Amino acid sequence: MRLSRRQLLQAGVAGSLVLAGGRWLAASRKTLPRPGGLRFLTADEAAVVSVLAPVLLGIPEVPRAAVVAGVDAAVLSLPRPVQAEVRELFDVLAHPLGRRWLAGLRDDWREATPQALSGFLGRWQTSRLALLRSGFQALHSLIGAAWYGQPASWEAIGYRQPQHVMERLP
């Protein structure tokens, strides 16, 4: 795909505005409470993960609290610079303006339909902007790792933990 100079400049300006908005939102959200033992995600960010998990995983009855806790733990295991990028992503998504203008959702995350959420994810996955595609990949990777890293998911996919590993588990 060849970009014209104008398209390149537009993409650069759009990306800069998104990142600046994320930093501004992060500064305004640092003191938000963290629910139920979470150390990274705020309540609003946990809601985003909770509603996206069934759509991204294709499992309507996925245990959402377990996925939220898994995403929280996964982000905390990442290097600080990556955590900062994930923080910007969640700050933008959890803010009403980010939800409306970047995700394209009018309704609150908790009220969005699976079809609207799937549409948002599809737009980001196939976006011309690398920044949005990266955002989709981050959400997809974090939520997938949070669910499939848990023993509760293994039976459904036919995974059996090797015996030598099972013997080491408490």
Side-chain angles (χ1 to χ4, degrees):
M1 179 169 119
R2 295 194 67 185
L3 293 176
S4 70
R5 182 184 296 169
R6 176 176 282 176
Q7 290 171 320
L8 183 63
L9 290 172
Q10 288 173 339
V13 168
S16 297
L17 289 173
V18 168
L19 289 175
R23 286 187 186 105
W24 175 76
L25 291 172
S28 67
R29 299 171 61 81
K30 285 188 187 220
T31 60
L32 292 177
R34 300 209 173 357
L38 298 179
R39 295 177 29 211
F40 183 84
L41 296 173
T42 66
D44 290 341
E45 295 162 354
V48 172
V49 172
S50 178
V51 299
L52 288 178
V55 177
L56 266 173
L57 296 170
I59 305 170
E61 300 302 320
V62 68
R64 296 176 185 209
V67 174
V68 169
V71 167
D72 191 71
V75 173
L76 288 173
S77 71
L78 298 171
R80 290 259 190 234
V82 178
Q83 286 182 21
E85 290 178 2
V86 173
R87 166 62 53 225
E88 288 177 357
L89 172 64
F90 280 121
D91 284 341
V92 168
L93 289 176
H95 195 276
L97 293 176
R99 183 193 70 242
R100 175 66 178 108
W101 298 110
L102 283 177
L105 298 172
R106 291 182 181 168
D107 297 327
D108 183 79
W109 286 103
R110 294 169 187 92
E111 298 166 6
T113 66
Q115 294 80 12
L117 296 171
S118 183
F120 147 66
L121 292 167
R123 286 188 301 276
W124 275 35
Q125 183 179 21
T126 60
S127 175
R128 292 184 334 176
L129 298 176
L131 189 63
L132 297 183
R133 289 193 312 271
S134 295
F136 169 81
Q137 284 296 354
L139 292 169
H140 185 268
S141 296
L142 286 169
I143 290 173
W147 173 239
Y148 291 111
Q150 296 184 32
S153 71
W154 298 348
E155 185 178 330
I157 60 173
Y159 176 74
R160 292 183 193 203
Q161 187 78 16
Q163 188 62 35
H164 71 279
V165 174
M166 292 297 289
E167 292 168 0
R168 292 184 202 162
L169 293 176

